[in-house]
Amino acid sequence: EDFVPLAGELEEVTEISWRSADQLAVLGRREAGTDQVFLVGLDGGTPPSSAGNSVTGLVTISGAPGQPLVAGTDDGNIWISNDRLNWQNVVEGSSPTFPG
């Protein structure tokens, strides 16, 4: 009936992508922080959790159920994360997306 607020403790959200059927990958920041990727459950009660170490200059995020998170930076690099701890720089480029 009503909207459920998600990630209310994030000060600014710049990108959102599906992570799974019940979770979003959100590019944003907490108060006085730097932009980073957070995993946000759709239940509205679970606080956002960090999706790994911070990568400087993140501007885009893309994800899909069962796929790694992919992010682009303002200096033209694509980063990928297959787990919740590490981001790896994989190629030059911008605006990564998944087909579909």
Side-chain angles (χ1 to χ4, degrees), residues 6-20 22-42 46-55 58-64 69-71 81 83-85 87:
L6 301 174
E9 58 272 15
L10 297 182
E11 187 170 291
E12 186 174 333
V13 171
T14 55
E15 290 270 324
I16 298 174
S17 184
W18 287 104
R19 175 67 177 144
S20 66
D22 62 351
Q23 192 176 60
L24 298 171
V26 176
L27 178 58
R29 74 176 79 132
R30 290 192 167 117
E31 186 176 342
T34 60
D35 286 343
Q36 66 182 68
V37 180
F38 295 92
L39 301 179
V40 178
L42 297 181
T46 306
S49 62
S50 174
N53 56 330
S54 183
V55 175
L58 287 177
V59 293
T60 61
I61 183 74
S62 185
L69 289 174
V70 182
S81 177
D83 61 45
R84 295 201 44 202
L85 300 174
W87 285 92

Side-chain angles (χ1 to χ4, degrees), residues 60-63 70-73 77-79 93-98:
T60 61
I61 183 74
S62 185
V70 182
T73 58
N77 286 293
I78 303 292
W79 293 72
S94 63
S95 301
T97 59
F98 284 96

